[in-house]
């Protein structure tokens, strides 16, 4: 709650504006705050951080308490994110609650646009957290043991497509260290087992691996048949994420963790998603996804 008499001088540091002064201004209501400018927040004002992306209301303690502490930081009782309904940023809304399949292949810009520490932006309801929900759903689990669970990929990009996830909370490849080697080997063994069990039903071989820059949180090993015969495979990014070096073989990842103690992703990995469409079998280039799909029938039917 605001007390009627409370005002607070807030000097917005450059780091709050995220970028060159002026390009991503912070504002109080509709008034932009210039570099090193000081503004007064009054009851009812909304503090927008970075181009209206992050609207906050500020809750103050009463004046008596603030003068006792005589400490600007102490005057702010809480900064709370405005409710979804009041957010004016529709694109953030549609990212968080996609009406259709999320753009499930990552791009580096997406992660640059939003601060990683903003748990509310990527909280439990965010689409990028969906695997953590799916892995707990007994209806989606096709195998589980004390270390891992296997689920079917919700938007399979081939006739057979599973994800192997550890129960241990490891958010991404970046977090892997030598101590995870046993777990990675176990994930690989489980992935190979499930591929082996379906080898008779699949015309195509399987590959096991990780996306260099995953879009979904919680580390997951893809086990995918190489036919890529699926209506969910819709665009160049989908294709290139599984058929270029963007797809890191599970064995290479294990080797890297063993030798270097961590996974190193080459700079510019996201550029691979823009590569021209090349058949994964005969390497002949195709102009469009429909043409590529038609071409693939030659190999797998
Ligand atoms: P990536 O993070 O790029 O390695 O890929 C994430 C994979 O998770 C994609 O193949 C998606 O089709 C799949 N996926 C997205 N949401 C879900 C979900 N809620 N449950 C199961 N699989 C999902
Ligand atoms: Zn071909």
């Amino acid at each position: 709650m605001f007390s009627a008499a409370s005002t607070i001088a807030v000097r917005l540091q450059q780091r709050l504006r995220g970028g060159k002064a002026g390009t991503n201004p912070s504002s109080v209501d509709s008034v932009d705050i210039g570099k090193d400018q000081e503004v007064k927040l009054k009851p009812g004002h909304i503090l927008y951080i970075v181009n209206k992306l992050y609207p906050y209301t500020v809750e103050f303690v009463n004046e008596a308490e603030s003068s006792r502490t005589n400490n600007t930081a102490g005057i702010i009782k809480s900064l709370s994110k405005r409710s979804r309904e009041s957010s004016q940023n529709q694109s953030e809304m549609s990212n968080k609650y996609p009406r259709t399949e999320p753009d499930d292949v990552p791009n580096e810009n997406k992660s640059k646009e939003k601060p990683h520490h903003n748990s509310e932006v990527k909280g439990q309801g965010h689409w990028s957290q969906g695997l953590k929900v799916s892995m707990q759903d007994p209806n989606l689990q096709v195998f589980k043991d004390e270390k891992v669970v296997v689920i079917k990929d919700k938007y399979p990009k081939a006739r057979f497509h599973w994800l192997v996830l550890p129960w241990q909370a490891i958010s991404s490849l970046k977090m892997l260290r030598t101590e995870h080697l046993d777990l990675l080997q176990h994930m690989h063994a489980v992935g190979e087992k499930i591929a082996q069990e379906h080898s008779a039903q699949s015309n195509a071989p399987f590959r096991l691996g990780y996306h260099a820059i995953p879009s979904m949180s919680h580390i997951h090993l893809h086990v995918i048949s190489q036919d890529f015969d699926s209506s969910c495979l819709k665009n160049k990014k989908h294709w290139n994420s599984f058929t270029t070096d963007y797809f890191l073989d599970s064995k290479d990842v294990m080797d890297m963790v063993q030798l270097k103690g961590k996974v190193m992703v080459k700079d510019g990995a996201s550029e691979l998603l823009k590569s021209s469409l090349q058949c994964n079998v005969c390497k002949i280039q195709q102009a469009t996804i429909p043409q590529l799909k038609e071409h693939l029938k030659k190999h797998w039917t």
Side-chain angles (χ1 to χ4, degrees):
M1 280 303 113
F2 290 102
S3 88
S6 295
T7 61
I8 182 172
V10 178
R11 184 181 289 279
L12 286 170
Q13 306 290 341
Q14 176 131 12
R15 63 192 162 83
L16 279 180
R17 293 202 297 276
K20 280 192 295 193
T23 53
N24 287 307
S26 296
S27 54
V28 171
D29 285 343
S30 59
V31 180
D32 286 353
I33 307 161
K35 186 172 189 287
D36 291 330
Q37 263 183 12
E38 208 166 70
V39 292
K40 281 192 175 170
L41 272 180
K42 292 187 177 163
H45 279 165
I46 298 169
L47 168 66
Y48 292 98
I49 296 175
V50 190
N51 249 343
K52 301 218 160 154
L53 273 174
Y54 306 109
Y56 286 89
T57 54
V58 184
E59 192 180 353
F60 298 99
V61 296
N62 63 38
E63 287 233 318
E65 200 174 334
S66 65
S67 58
R68 215 175 41 244
T69 57
N70 197 23
N71 173 350
T72 306
I75 297 171
I76 300 178
K77 194 171 165 198
S78 75
L79 262 179
S80 53
K81 198 100 194 299
R82 299 270 297 169
S83 65
R84 274 193 278 122
E85 289 71 27
S86 68
S87 168
Q88 297 182 5
N89 192 292
Q90 287 304 320
S91 64
E92 184 177 318
M93 284 275 290
S94 56
N95 274 345
K96 190 169 176 182
Y97 302 103
R99 280 178 217 116
T100 56
E101 175 186 0
D103 182 8
D104 49 63
V105 171
N107 66 62
E108 280 164 339
N109 292 338
K110 208 187 270 176
S111 56
K112 275 180 191 157
E113 273 164 25
K114 293 174 185 168
H116 292 291
H117 58 267
N118 194 330
S119 57
E120 200 168 318
V121 172
K122 290 209 173 168
Q124 275 302 314
H126 192 271
W127 60 261
S128 64
Q129 308 300 308
L131 295 183
K132 295 180 196 170
V133 179
S134 294
M135 68 186 277
Q136 299 293 342
D137 184 343
N139 297 317
L140 301 178
Q141 297 166 345
V142 298
F143 171 86
K144 63 179 170 180
D145 64 16
E146 73 287 354
K147 287 185 184 166
V148 299
V149 60
V150 183
I151 57 172
K152 275 191 179 177
D153 193 289
K154 191 171 174 183
Y155 310 105
K157 306 302 184 295
R159 287 183 202 160
F160 300 93
H161 189 181
W162 298 277
L163 303 173
V164 184
L165 304 112
W167 293 119
Q168 189 180 345
I170 302 172
S171 57
S172 76
L173 282 182
K174 282 190 224 156
M175 308 309 292
L176 290 176
R177 296 292 177 264
T178 314
E179 75 218 48
H180 299 119
L181 200 52
D182 284 353
L183 179 61
L184 292 175
Q185 284 163 351
H186 185 69
M187 288 167 68
H188 184 88
V190 168
E192 276 199 324
K193 183 169 168 286
I194 196 149
Q196 176 61 36
E197 282 168 4
H198 292 80
S199 60
Q201 297 164 52
S202 175
N203 298 335
F206 285 83
R207 270 184 86 189
L208 280 66
Y210 301 84
H211 279 153
I213 309 164
S215 54
M216 302 295 286
S217 187
H218 199 102
I219 196 165
H220 47 280
L221 171 66
H222 290 268
V223 179
I224 184 163
S225 59
Q226 296 299 290
D227 50 79
F228 297 108
D229 177 15
S230 169
S231 57
C232 292
L233 195 150
K234 291 180 177 150
N235 57 46
K236 197 180 233 194
K237 285 201 286 181
H238 288 160
W239 175 258
N240 284 328
S241 73
F242 287 100
T243 60
T244 66
D245 289 345
Y246 194 90
F247 191 79
L248 306 173
D249 271 312
S250 171
K251 285 195 170 145
D252 292 340
V253 166
M254 292 189 290
D255 285 350
M256 229 186 298
V257 172
Q258 186 161 33
L259 291 171
K260 313 263 185 201
K262 61 181 180 178
V263 178
M264 281 172 296
V265 171
K266 288 184 193 139
D267 285 348
S270 63
E271 289 301 302
L272 293 166
L273 297 175
K274 299 177 194 159
S275 309
S276 54
L277 297 171
Q278 200 180 38
C279 171
N280 60 324
V281 183
C282 68
K283 309 296 174 201
I284 293 176
Q285 207 163 304
Q286 302 294 324
T288 64
I289 286 283
Q291 281 172 24
L292 174 64
K293 287 195 166 189
E294 193 53 37
H295 171 88
L296 290 174
K297 288 182 189 165
K298 279 196 237 168
H299 294 299
W300 305 121
T301 44

